[in-house]
Amino acid sequence: MVSSCAVTRRRPLASLPLLLLLVPVLVIAQSPRATAPTGPPLIGVGSTGSPTVTLDGHEVRVPVNLGPGGPLFGLKAMTDALGGELVAGETGESYTLKLGGKDVVVGLGSAVVTVGDSIVSLSQPPTRGEGGLAVPLDFLAKTYGDLSGYSFDWRPGEQRLVIGRRSARELPVALDVVHLQGMTTVVLQFSDVPRYHLNQQPGRIEMQMLADRLAVPSPPRKVEDPLVKAVDIAPERVRIDLAPEAAVESYTLENPFRLVFDVHGQSTVVAPAGPAFPTPAPASGIHTIVIDPGHGGTETGAIGPGGIQEKGLTLLLAQALAGRLQQKLPVRVVLTRSEDVNVPHDTRAAIANQNKADLFISIHLNSSLGAGAHGAETYFLSAQATDTRAASSAKSENGENAESPERAEKTGSAPAEPSQDDLRLMLWDLAQTRHLSESQRLANLIQGELNETLQLKDRGVKQAPFRVLMGAAMPAVLVEVGFISNPEEEGKLQDAAYRADLVEALVRAVARYKAQAEAPENPSPPATGAAQPAPAAAPPAAPAKPPAAGARPPGGARQP
Amino acid sequence: MSRRAAGIVLGAALLLVAAGLAWWWAGGRLRRLGGSAGSGAGAAVPAGPQTTFAVDLYFPVETGLRPERRNLTGSDTPKDRIRKIVQALLAGPGAAGLVRPLPPGVEVGAVELTPEGVAYLDLRWAEHDDPPPGGSDAEMQAVYSLVDSIALNVPEARRVVLLWNGTQRVTFSGHLDTSRPLSPDRSLIAH
């Protein structure tokens, strides 16, 4: 009993030091120094030892910058070691890596790059480091890995990047050739997605394997076709020999992966969405126009009171416009979609950029929440959109970055300005910023033709932060040709003759723009890369002012 | 030390620990809600007394937006004002000729306000993954009805990020870039 009481008395005394120790621990935990930094990681150079890079067992000199976001590697030195050509953009803010027949466009501070016509996100943005542009490991994997068959193994413990060559896959391929209604379709079906590059020459198109080899089907198939003379499959390539005057367009299908070539007997075809063959760089002027039928697939766009969906009418209008433009003008026209499919906004702009378009016209039908709205209006990108994002980007670069709202939602902390997203998209914003003056001029011409021809209510040229316009590296507008929410206009828009009038108005506007651009007194200057300032914050709803003095003539300024 | 004294010491120690835990919990919660206490506009503070404040709600009309003056009641915190404003917008206008910016059933989810003046507004619409489809003007009317009503009535909110069912979308319904904070657009307002 005595001993029991003694234990009871000693317990609080024994616990007291422990409890008192807890208080300062909590105080320290509460202090601001305990708060994790939320800014972007700062990249240091070789802070812990000397990282090395080996290629096939031999050390190569490649600058490596180490930082919390992972290692970054000097791209110029990597190009010297692995091949490819690195070309600096005119502004010094972007670079083009020519590799495996594809242009890889990378911007300083942007975690989004384009590889051919594909948009690729990186784990961290490239930055300027020792030896010039420094890129993260996944950039190397998505370029040299996918296009050239290299493997990259970063070993943090050794601070060593081991570059090897992947063993080439041998992919079975099946060939099918079908001729129907004056067109031949050649289908190459693969067991897996191959890494390849297409080369087009007069009378021949060749699919060059980059890092894989083909299992040649046996026996080889003999082709007897009026437009396709032969299809020759070898382990390293597929060669399609065409009849004279045949024109070809290609596209891919998924599940299983198929590469499809539509071979026409005439040269004027409307290219579908997707990659186009490389075309020689044109002289100044308007040579290629990309028409974007708004919405598509599950994204219906506006729906009229009669149930007519915007996506269907925009496709009809775009296809008609493409046909008439090619009939009336010596231009090449590309559609961002030729069927009822979802196409992401950034992909639409990327298609225009990849095709080196001189104009981008997005066709839409309008709707209003209020009753009675009618008429046409034409938009170009608002300067505010680019200004805001540029400011956000600068903020990110200044280390004022914070948690994304998505992450904030997960963590329960307060969301912060999504400046990292802004940073990723800076490349696209800058693309349109330099063309705002010309976009405004094109918008004025289109709006004028629509008003005059159709006697529509002039709703004016307007500006808005429309996503589809942001990444277009050429004069770009979004045309709302009428209000599908208005029963009267919905009825008119279903009339083919009315749509034809709309199309003719658009063709005239483009023809006038092209004529002005190519007039001798208005030669297009070479692309200097000097970004033109956005039109001074014109009120978005007000009729647009004439182009600012010193505005860049069209056709000559193209994003590198 | 007597048993009584030991009890007093233990009680005091427990009180200290409890106070420390409460301080820690409250501080962390405040940080999550918008910055440390006293950081200004975005700092979350306990709901204050109910007050009535006058606002202009910008409702869609045939073309653009038109203001409707309202007196709303709520606490005087910026976040609560934003919530009341959006709730009033979603409830619809009082005057003829004005229309509601979003269909019935859309509700206000989370509202946050950063010290930098960016308001985050989460709109919820049960069983609808996407905002209602619409043309450019309808989309701008819906979006800027919210953005203008918030940013032009709550000085602490200079820009607005819209979330839909908890997700920030690239575009609201196919046109406007909503992947970034939107500034108010006064040009849409018809007086």
Side-chain angles (χ1 to χ4, degrees):
Chain A
M1 184 68 185
V2 171
S3 65
S4 173
C5 286
V7 169
T8 307
R9 283 192 202 105
R10 277 198 298 271
R11 270 182 187 152
L13 292 175
S15 311
L16 185 59
L18 180 64
L19 291 170
L20 290 175
L21 274 174
L22 274 174
V23 175
V25 168
L26 290 171
V27 169
I28 290 167
Q30 177 68 13
S31 70
R33 275 178 296 184
T35 305
T38 55
L42 298 174
I43 305 299
V45 179
S47 56
T48 54
S50 301
T52 54
V53 176
T54 61
L55 170 61
D56 292 338
H58 302 286
E59 189 166 321
V60 289
R61 288 183 58 82
V62 176
V64 183
N65 300 342
L66 293 177
L72 291 129
F73 303 92
L75 185 55
K76 177 67 174 67
M78 200 63 83
T79 304
D80 292 341
L82 303 181
E85 181 188 1
L86 186 62
V87 180
E90 295 147 348
T91 62
E93 294 298 308
S94 68
Y95 293 81
T96 300
L97 171 63
K98 297 178 179 298
L99 183 67
K102 291 194 174 182
D103 284 354
V104 181
V105 181
V106 51
L108 277 170
S110 171
V112 177
V113 300
T114 57
V115 180
D117 64 331
S118 301
I119 298 172
V120 174
S121 294
L122 302 178
S123 59
Q124 59 176 319
T127 184
R128 205 185 298 278
E130 182 189 346
L133 181 67
V135 296
L137 188 62
D138 54 350
F139 175 90
L140 299 175
K142 288 168 180 172
T143 53
Y144 284 101
D146 288 348
L147 300 177
S148 301
Y150 284 102
S151 65
F152 297 89
D153 179 17
W154 171 249
R155 299 172 182 174
E158 304 171 37
Q159 296 204 351
R160 177 187 298 272
L161 176 66
V162 178
I163 306 175
R165 298 175 202 274
R166 276 202 301 259
S167 55
R169 298 176 301 172
E170 188 172 74
L171 297 178
V173 56
L175 168 68
D176 201 5
V177 181
V178 178
H179 183 82
L180 282 173
Q181 298 177 341
M183 182 181 83
T184 298
T185 299
V186 179
V187 182
L188 296 168
Q189 181 172 317
F190 301 86
S191 59
D192 200 355
V193 179
R195 295 183 286 266
Y196 66 95
H197 167 60
L198 289 178
N199 295 311
Q200 189 177 23
Q201 306 160 8
R204 172 176 292 179
I205 185 164
E206 194 168 280
M207 175 195 189
Q208 185 72 44
M209 303 303 290
L210 294 175
D212 301 318
R213 293 172 67 81
L214 296 173
V216 180
S218 179
R221 175 168 172 175
K222 187 174 181 182
V223 176
E224 293 180 357
D225 185 90
L227 297 173
V228 177
K229 292 197 293 188
V231 179
D232 180 28
I233 300 178
E236 70 282 1
R237 54 111 182 100
V238 178
R239 180 180 294 157
I240 302 173
D241 289 317
L242 306 172
E245 304 299 321
V248 66
E249 55 185 318
S250 76
Y251 52 94
T252 59
L253 299 171
E254 306 291 335
N255 300 321
F257 183 87
R258 283 153 289 170
L259 179 58
V260 184
F261 302 91
D262 285 344
V263 186
H264 303 261
Q266 54 185 5
S267 58
T268 53
V269 295
V270 178
F277 297 118
T279 53
S284 62
I286 308 301
H287 303 272
T288 301
I289 299 171
V290 167
I291 308 294
D292 171 43
H295 308 283
T298 56
E299 193 185 293
T300 61
I303 301 174
I308 301 301
Q309 296 183 340
E310 180 185 357
K311 66 174 184 177
L313 285 177
T314 58
L315 183 56
L316 286 175
L317 283 162
Q319 287 173 325
L321 177 59
R324 287 295 292 153
L325 281 172
Q326 290 187 136
Q327 286 174 0
K328 299 268 287 186
L329 302 171
V331 294
R332 170 174 168 258
V333 180
V334 176
L335 292 174
T336 58
R337 68 178 177 98
S338 53
E339 51 190 352
D340 184 17
V341 292
N342 285 86
V343 181
H345 292 86
D346 292 346
T347 301
R348 296 171 192 251
I351 289 170
N353 296 344
Q354 180 64 18
N355 281 282
K356 302 188 186 306
D358 300 296
L359 296 178
F360 178 82
I361 302 173
S362 188
I363 306 290
H364 285 252
L365 299 170
N366 218 337
S367 77
S368 172
L369 295 177
H374 65 283
E377 57 195 21
T378 310
Y379 283 92
F380 65 105
L381 188 66
S382 63
Q384 180 210 356
T386 54
D387 289 348
T388 304
R389 205 190 285 280
S392 296
S393 301
K395 204 172 176 184
S396 296
E397 288 167 347
N398 289 334
E400 297 173 43
N401 200 1
E403 227 172 3
S404 71
E406 293 84 357
R407 178 173 164 74
E409 261 208 344
K410 288 176 186 162
T411 60
S413 60
E417 190 171 345
S419 44
Q420 189 62 36
D421 289 342
D422 288 345
L423 188 62
R424 289 184 185 135
L425 290 158
M426 183 173 66
L427 189 65
W428 301 116
D429 290 351
L430 295 176
Q432 178 56 201
T433 300
R434 60 193 299 193
H435 299 286
L436 284 179
S437 293
E438 284 308 309
S439 298
Q440 183 182 23
R441 194 160 72 81
L442 176 61
N444 282 336
L445 289 170
I446 288 175
Q447 188 63 27
E449 285 292 342
L450 289 172
N451 292 339
E452 190 164 327
T453 303
L454 303 173
Q455 298 297 303
L456 294 171
K457 177 183 178 181
D458 181 12
R459 300 181 65 89
V461 169
K462 300 181 178 180
Q463 288 179 273
F466 287 153
R467 178 76 177 202
V468 75
L469 301 178
M470 286 182 170
M474 70 288 302
V477 297
L478 185 149
V479 189
E480 298 279 1
V481 297
F483 275 81
I484 199 173
S485 59
N486 182 306
E488 185 183 347
E489 288 198 355
E490 182 190 29
K492 284 183 183 176
L493 288 162
Q494 292 177 72
D495 178 7
Y498 183 79
R499 289 199 303 270
D501 289 342
L502 287 172
V503 165
E504 290 307 313
L506 295 173
V507 170
R508 277 194 298 277
V510 172
R512 286 180 62 193
Y513 183 92
K514 178 175 165 62
Q516 290 176 13
E518 296 169 355
E521 65 272 20
N522 188 22
S524 295
T528 62
Q532 293 293 322
K545 298 170 185 172
R552 179 184 299 282
R558 183 174 294 133
Q559 187 77 352
Chain B
M1 187 180 286
S2 70
R3 185 173 181 174
R4 180 183 174 83
I8 290 171
V9 170
L10 176 61
L14 286 173
L15 273 175
L16 271 173
V17 170
L21 282 172
W23 180 40
W24 183 47
W25 177 82
R29 184 176 170 82
L30 277 179
R31 263 205 307 274
R32 284 197 300 273
L33 289 175
S36 58
S39 66
V45 292
Q50 299 289 296
T51 59
T52 298
F53 51 94
V55 294
D56 286 325
L57 300 180
Y58 297 96
F59 284 102
V61 287
E62 178 182 314
T63 297
L65 307 169
R66 186 172 297 156
E68 181 177 271
R69 177 57 61 97
R70 293 280 191 88
N71 289 318
L72 302 179
T73 302
S75 78
D76 203 27
T77 65
K79 272 176 57 174
D80 194 47
R81 285 168 67 113
I82 292 171
R83 179 177 292 279
K84 296 292 183 195
I85 286 169
V86 177
Q87 285 173 340
L89 280 170
L90 296 177
L98 309 182
V99 296
R100 59 195 314 156
L102 290 164
V106 178
E107 297 175 345
V108 186
V111 175
E112 299 292 353
L113 182 61
T114 70
E116 292 79 23
V118 180
Y120 285 78
L121 170 62
D122 184 17
L123 297 169
R124 301 270 169 175
W125 199 16
E127 298 175 8
H128 290 81
D129 290 339
D130 301 318
S136 300
D137 278 26
E139 185 176 332
M140 291 182 71
Q141 287 175 309
V143 168
Y144 283 105
S145 171
L146 298 161
V147 172
D148 285 10
S149 296
I150 292 171
L152 301 181
N153 286 297
V154 182
E156 294 87 348
R158 296 192 303 277
R159 293 191 287 165
V160 179
V161 171
L162 292 180
L163 308 178
W164 186 264
N165 288 337
T167 301
Q168 189 173 5
R169 300 166 60 89
V170 174
T171 68
F172 190 70
S173 56
H175 307 89
L176 276 175
D177 178 21
T178 50
S179 69
R180 64 188 182 89
L182 292 169
S183 299
D185 187 345
R186 295 173 188 271
S187 71
L188 296 173
I189 301 171
H191 292 280

